Amino acid sequence: MKDERWDDLLFRVKLFCQDRIIDVPDLSSPYLSIGARARKEHSDHTLEHHYRVDIFYEAVHCQLMELDHRFNDSSLELLHLSATLDPKSANESFRSIDVCHLVEKFYPEDFSDYERDLLKIQLQHYEVDVVQNADYIQLKSISELCQWLIKTGRVPNYHLIYRVATLILILPVSTATTDISFSAMSLVKTRLRNKMEDEFLNDSLVLYFEQELAENIDLETILQDFKKAGDQRVPL
């Protein structure tokens, strides 16, 4: 964007101003900061330089810093490997080794050693039967791929690949759930509760997340369970 988008952005901004009868300043004129002190200053910078460097470049730089913060090397690798099953990558050569690497590194607990070996065999048939299929090129997303596999009855033959695709699809939901969990933790574990143990914190968070289910819990049933658990310090 810094190298190629400035001229296009400036052109569109000028059109926007012309359509709405907004005066466009002379961008070649010197730029002076606002204030009484600024009137005494001599500037070597033009308005164009100010808008391009001090505003546009700075905005791009801030976005790059935010992207680097949110997407570390591990996240980028996960997204890169996940894109292997995306039908939009049909023009590129299918990389079955990337799918295997995705499973081994990011989903080791979802596949046994036997299933990982079987996945390699399924990928060999998948490349011929699915990737080279004429209908595959028409698919636009992994979601459409899963629907097509179900519709064509191919899920039993490629059930492990279907599982990988399902895990990729629920990834945004899992990430959002994690963010919500950390946000809820700051509400549940307040300054007055900062000494609560992990088990108590986990139980409290579950009740907070599942408020609709918690509303249906009968308090009398909870009291009866406590009574059956053993002697209590306070009579219930």
Side-chain angles (χ1 to χ4, degrees):
M1 290 184 66
K2 290 172 64 177
D3 296 336
E4 301 175 1
R5 300 293 181 85
W6 166 249
D7 292 334
D8 178 64
L9 174 63
L10 183 60
F11 176 75
R12 288 188 285 118
V13 170
K14 289 182 177 179
L15 286 181
F16 178 88
C17 294
Q18 292 173 4
D19 293 341
R20 291 157 180 80
I21 315 178
I22 300 174
D23 292 336
V24 179
D26 182 7
L27 297 181
S28 61
S29 61
Y31 168 74
L32 297 175
S33 57
I34 301 174
R37 183 181 177 183
R39 288 193 287 268
K40 301 179 182 179
E41 295 178 353
H42 174 73
S43 176
D44 295 330
H45 295 164
T46 62
L47 278 175
E48 191 272 342
H49 179 276
H50 168 68
Y51 289 128
R52 177 169 51 86
V53 177
D54 299 337
I55 296 180
F56 179 68
Y57 285 2
E58 185 64 23
V60 173
H61 179 66
C62 290
Q63 292 187 9
L64 286 173
M65 290 181 61
E66 183 67 18
L67 289 172
D68 289 339
H69 173 71
R70 288 186 174 271
F71 297 98
N72 54 29
D73 293 341
S74 179
S75 299
L76 289 175
E77 184 181 11
L78 173 60
L79 294 175
H80 174 72
L81 296 176
S82 300
T84 305
L85 289 179
D86 194 339
K88 290 187 296 186
S89 305
N91 295 330
E92 305 175 5
S93 59
F94 182 73
R95 304 180 302 275
S96 59
I97 190 173
D98 285 354
V99 180
C100 297
H101 185 54
L102 173 68
V103 169
E104 293 174 359
K105 184 170 184 178
F106 294 99
Y107 301 106
E109 298 182 0
D110 295 284
F111 296 85
S112 64
D113 293 338
Y114 170 74
E115 288 178 329
R116 284 195 285 269
D117 292 335
L118 182 59
L119 175 63
K120 297 177 181 178
I121 300 176
Q122 287 189 7
L123 286 169
Q124 294 176 358
H125 295 281
Y126 177 86
E127 184 173 2
V128 177
D129 182 36
V130 176
V131 177
Q132 299 181 11
N133 191 291
D135 295 336
Y136 180 81
I137 304 177
Q138 307 300 323
L139 303 176
K140 302 299 182 182
S141 64
I142 297 179
S143 176
E144 291 186 7
L145 171 63
C146 291
Q147 297 175 33
W148 183 78
L149 290 175
I150 296 174
K151 182 179 179 179
T152 57
R154 285 178 165 85
V155 172
N157 296 332
Y158 307 110
H159 63 282
L160 295 177
I161 299 176
Y162 180 81
R163 188 191 304 176
V164 177
T166 305
L167 291 171
I168 294 174
L169 288 177
I170 65 174
L171 179 61
V173 179
S174 304
T175 305
T177 303
T178 303
D179 292 339
I180 294 173
S181 302
F182 280 105
S183 299
M185 188 179 299
S186 62
L187 298 175
V188 174
K189 192 172 183 179
T190 62
R191 181 177 60 84
L192 299 177
R193 300 173 181 165
N194 61 355
K195 293 185 178 180
M196 66 165 54
E197 296 181 355
D198 291 342
E199 183 178 0
F200 183 34
L201 175 61
N202 291 337
D203 295 341
S204 300
L205 288 174
V206 170
L207 290 176
Y208 182 86
F209 297 147
E210 307 295 343
Q211 294 184 21
E212 294 182 359
L213 297 177
E215 291 176 354
N216 299 325
I217 298 177
D218 184 11
L219 296 180
E220 185 63 30
T221 303
I222 297 177
L223 290 176
Q224 295 301 326
D225 290 340
F226 268 100
K227 287 182 179 180
K228 295 178 182 179
D231 297 335
Q232 308 294 330
R233 295 182 179 180
V234 179
L236 300 178

